[in-house]
Amino acid sequence: MARFTLPKRHRLIETNRMTENRKLEVWVQETAAMCQPERVVWCDGSDHEYQLMLRLLVQAGTAIRLDGERRPNSIFVRSDPADVARVEEFIFICSRQQGDAGPTNHWRDPAEMKRTLTQLFSGAMKGRTLYVIPIAKVGVQVTDSPYVVASMHIMARVGAPVLEALGPDGEFVRGLHSVGAPLAEHAADSPWPCNTGTKYICHFPETREIWSFGSGYGGNALLGKKCHALRIASVQARDEGWLAEHMLILGITNPEGRKAYMAAAFPSACGKTNLAMMNPTLPGWRVETIGDDIAWMKFGADGRLHAINPEAGFFGVAPGTSMRSNPNALRTCRENSIFTNCAITPDGDVWWEEMTEAPPPELVDWLRRPWAPGNGRTAAHPNARFTTPARQCPVISPEWENPKGVPISAILFGGRRAGVVPLVNEALDWRHGTFLGSIMSSETTAAAAGAVGRLRFDPFAMLPFCGYHMGDYFAHWLRIGASADPAQLPRIYHVNWFRKDPDGRFLWPGYGDNSRVLKWIFERTEGTGKAVETPIGRLPAPGALDLSGLRIPDSSMAELLRVDVEGWMAELPAIKSHLARFEPRLPQGLREDLAALEQRLQKAAVAAGR
Ligand code: OXD
Ligand code: MN
């Protein structure tokens, strides 16, 4: 960063510096000199501080305090309508070599981008407070948004203990965030300050820095989440031999009390939170939550991959969350939560689509307009969110904060696919599982700005979150597999809850009934579940999937477990050109798996007389 001299009055207003870490102190001083905030506040992570943020947000008109009995200690926030989701087109990986960002990321030269950003950040915090948020595991975010401070209190372990852990010379990921809306003297602030014209979410993988400008929303602004725990951490993981993944982590216990842990990668807004907190419909089975979005996996002393959830809260998609789809999420966010871009009821509670069977008779929608059922508009924005502490989840696992993590027996990949991809498919081995992850595709959702429902390849659900070349990322997965005893590695599965019939109706009930699929996976990992070998992998043998108590037509089950050879053959050209994007860095192992898939499909087509 260019060296700035802090104007005298800024030195006076930094009242509570809390660190003995010289590098952190210098970075904060230089950042303050560049951004020129009114004052600098070091966050201690206390409840007092959290309450102060809520008061500031209410006073500024950003938030409304929800009814104290219906939603104790909770607020409701509406963002600027131009700042409602992750903005993938403005996310940049600024690696020294363009080639290291790969074909799926936008790249900018780091020196050039620093020049652009330095200009944008100069004076960007005028009239505002610069907050320093120490975030466990270990990063520090500087921000001028009290909404971000309050949200990070929920989403991470923040404050003084982090600084103690950092010590006088510990290293940390630097995250610099500004809403990009300096306040002129005496000017009135807007309820949701942001920069509607200019947004940059930039990552400098070699120097472990994040600079985010212009947005106050979700993954753009809560830098501990996507920017650090995925994009920067994926680079750290590559360098250090572990995995940073867009995965939920759950524990599942069978009726005899045996437990297994699974991690699952699904693209944004495809049901990770629902699966992580599921109430199984199968009697005697229990699911416990460790995380709903991010898994860091490292080999333990036992040679197995162990996963931790680096977060402390859930930033869940609200619409569609109901007592039917996810009662445990609703129970989690009954208090101490932040709700963004939902609708509000006359009695001071929040509402979103499908929360209750019938909508309330009147609401104010996320755009502050009166709303009534049947008026043709959704009341909540489709990417409306709840931000809520993980510890409040009724099915949180006793292991969720275990620093050693939980040993993973199975890894699931899944997306929204109306056709072709069956309900569940077991990879033949780790390499084949890596191949299945690399060719995952899904229909886009409202979690990112842009068209919804468009089919796109989203390898490992990491398309927007991988901080380096995806071809190298695939190679890293293969290296991880090659470095371990195959018997100790998790088995890998491809699942799809979203198959539809020709009339567009879902074939599979999903939600708690997904426990039937988890049961088969559990039994496979124990060596008891029966499978049949097919051209695409191993599918449940007839009768191996427990359908007891489920009324589902045989024809639907046949379709859900059908290997659609023609459909797969028709997808091969798209799969080939998708993988060709990563050449010459596509690992040889995946080239071989692609060729092997093609051969098996051709053989099956010949056998079927096509
Ligand atoms: C999220 C996302 O917020 O993936 O988790 O968009
Ligand atoms: Mn996510």
Side-chain angles (χ1 to χ4, degrees):
M1 182 196 295
R3 295 222 154 240
F4 288 82
T5 318
L6 197 62
K8 219 175 179 178
R9 72 189 183 95
H10 286 105
R11 246 179 250 134
L12 289 176
I13 50 164
E14 192 209 20
T15 50
N16 67 337
R17 178 176 351 120
M18 294 184 352
T19 187
E20 293 179 356
N21 186 298
R22 182 73 192 135
K23 280 174 272 188
L24 177 54
E25 187 189 323
V26 169
W27 177 60
V28 170
Q29 290 278 328
E30 289 184 350
T31 302
M34 173 174 64
C35 299
Q36 297 164 37
E38 219 23 62
R39 65 188 73 76
V40 174
V41 169
W42 289 71
C43 297
D44 60 13
S46 64
D47 184 54
H48 173 78
E49 179 175 272
Y50 181 70
Q51 297 306 331
L52 184 66
M53 292 304 124
L54 298 198
R55 279 201 298 279
L56 281 177
L57 290 167
V58 171
Q59 273 161 18
T62 312
I64 294 174
R65 203 172 268 283
L66 290 167
D67 180 79
E69 294 206 344
R70 289 186 171 76
R71 299 276 166 188
N73 196 28
S74 298
I75 56 167
F76 167 60
V77 175
R78 283 169 287 208
S79 77
D80 187 290
D83 195 19
V84 292
R86 284 185 288 101
V87 284
E88 291 183 5
E89 62 184 301
F90 303 119
I91 296 173
F92 297 96
I93 301 296
C94 307
S95 45
R96 283 188 198 118
Q97 302 295 323
Q98 177 164 12
D100 290 340
T104 55
N105 285 312
H106 302 297
W107 176 81
R108 286 284 189 282
D109 175 76
E112 250 172 56
M113 187 47 108
K114 280 277 176 74
R115 272 195 293 279
T116 304
L117 289 169
T118 300
Q119 265 181 5
L120 287 169
F121 274 92
S122 295
M125 296 189 187
K126 274 192 183 145
R128 301 194 182 279
T129 300
L130 180 157
Y131 299 97
V132 183
I133 319 173
I135 305 172
K137 317 235 180 266
V138 155
V140 179
Q141 172 164 1
V142 157
T143 181
D144 54 4
S145 160
Y147 171 78
V148 167
V149 176
S151 300
M152 288 312 293
H153 263 247
I154 296 176
M155 291 307 298
R157 297 155 190 94
V158 300
V162 179
L163 293 177
E164 257 163 56
L166 190 57
D169 47 22
E171 280 302 331
F172 55 96
V173 171
R174 292 156 167 76
L176 171 51
H177 169 249
S178 171
V179 293
L183 261 184
E185 221 168 319
H186 307 304
D189 204 354
S190 82
W192 183 272
C194 65
N195 192 311
T196 46
T198 306
K199 289 186 177 56
Y200 283 103
I201 325 292
C202 300
H203 306 74
F204 299 86
E206 285 96 357
T207 51
R208 316 288 200 234
E209 286 172 274
I210 304 151
W211 291 50
S212 167
F213 181 88
S215 166
Y217 204 85
N220 302 330
L222 311 178
L223 302 189
K225 194 171 179 58
K226 304 300 183 180
C227 299
H228 176 177
L230 286 177
R231 295 194 194 97
I232 296 291
S234 64
V235 176
Q236 294 175 303
R238 175 200 64 191
D239 295 348
E240 295 163 12
W242 51 281
L243 296 168
E245 300 298 328
H246 191 204
M247 291 183 184
L248 67 90
I249 313 164
L250 61 80
I252 179 161
T253 309
N254 78 354
E256 288 75 50
R258 286 196 306 283
K259 188 175 269 203
Y261 294 96
M262 301 180 184
F266 295 80
S268 309
C270 287
K272 281 202 297 302
T273 308
N274 294 346
L275 187 65
M277 300 177 191
M278 172 223 286
N279 285 339
T281 50
L282 281 177
W285 288 77
R286 217 153 34 83
V287 162
E288 288 167 342
T289 314
I290 288 105
D292 81 328
D293 195 42
I294 297 176
W296 287 359
M297 294 190 280
K298 300 183 185 178
F299 285 109
D302 57 0
R304 298 183 67 189
L305 265 184
H306 287 242
I308 64 155
N309 170 12
E311 302 190 282
F314 306 127
F315 180 63
V317 177
T321 306
S322 66
M323 286 310 279
R324 190 178 89 81
S325 69
N326 193 343
N328 291 322
L330 281 188
R331 291 181 187 122
T332 307
C333 63
R334 73 192 176 278
E335 58 186 341
N336 309 321
S337 299
I338 299 175
F339 298 88
T340 309
N341 288 346
C342 309
I344 187 162
T345 66
D347 52 7
D349 200 0
V350 283
W351 190 84
W352 50 72
E353 273 59 36
E354 293 174 42
M355 181 199 245
T356 49
E357 269 181 24
E362 52 171 326
L363 292 166
V364 174
D365 74 6
W366 75 282
L367 287 168
R368 299 164 200 264
R369 301 170 301 190
W371 186 95
N375 70 2
R377 306 189 310 252
T378 63
H381 184 276
N383 192 35
R385 299 283 184 142
F386 52 80
T387 310
T388 192
R391 64 183 146 76
Q392 292 180 186
C393 177
V395 293
I396 198 76
S397 162
E399 295 298 315
W400 86 280
E401 295 190 283
N402 184 342
K404 293 204 174 86
V406 292
I408 297 295
S409 300
I411 292 176
L412 282 57
F413 297 126
R416 281 178 192 270
R417 288 298 312 263
V420 183
V421 178
L423 181 62
V424 57
N425 175 23
E426 183 186 71
L428 304 171
D429 53 25
W430 181 271
R431 191 183 88 173
H432 183 230
T434 304
F435 173 69
L436 292 182
S438 77
I439 62 164
M440 251 173 82
S441 53
S442 189
E443 291 144 24
T444 49
T445 67
V452 170
R454 186 172 50 84
L455 190 63
R456 70 172 184 181
F457 286 99
D458 187 349
F460 295 77
M462 282 289 277
L463 182 70
F465 307 122
C466 183
Y468 61 103
H469 193 298
M470 267 274 175
D472 293 348
Y473 169 90
F474 301 154
H476 178 57
W477 263 76
L478 293 182
R479 261 197 314 275
I480 288 279
S483 71
D485 171 358
Q488 300 275 58
L489 281 170
R491 288 182 182 231
I492 300 180
Y493 297 83
H494 194 184
V495 299
N496 179 20
W497 322 135
F498 299 95
R499 274 297 278 271
K500 288 185 177 163
D501 69 13
D503 297 326
R505 282 183 299 248
F506 287 113
L507 286 168
W508 179 247
Y511 305 116
D513 284 312
N514 291 336
S515 59
R516 299 169 190 280
V517 175
L518 297 191
K519 178 182 175 188
W520 181 71
I521 293 173
F522 183 101
E523 290 170 348
R524 291 292 298 160
T525 64
E526 286 206 328
T528 53
K530 297 275 181 295
V532 285
E533 197 98 13
T534 80
I536 56 169
R538 298 191 194 102
L539 267 66
L545 206 57
D546 186 345
L547 301 176
S548 53
L550 180 67
R551 285 182 29 212
I552 184 164
D554 289 349
S555 57
S556 298
M557 271 330 294
E559 186 55 24
L560 284 161
L561 295 178
R562 182 165 78 90
V563 177
D564 180 358
V565 173
E566 271 175 33
W568 281 103
M569 296 275 272
E571 286 200 3
L572 274 177
I575 292 175
K576 282 183 188 166
S577 51
H578 157 66
L579 289 180
R581 292 180 76 196
F582 306 106
E583 294 289 7
R585 298 201 194 187
L586 185 71
Q588 177 60 13
L590 297 195
R591 290 191 203 109
E592 286 171 20
D593 254 294
L594 174 61
L597 172 67
E598 185 164 20
Q599 270 174 15
R600 291 194 303 264
L601 288 171
Q602 273 163 357
K603 221 165 116 188
V606 169
R610 290 190 190 100

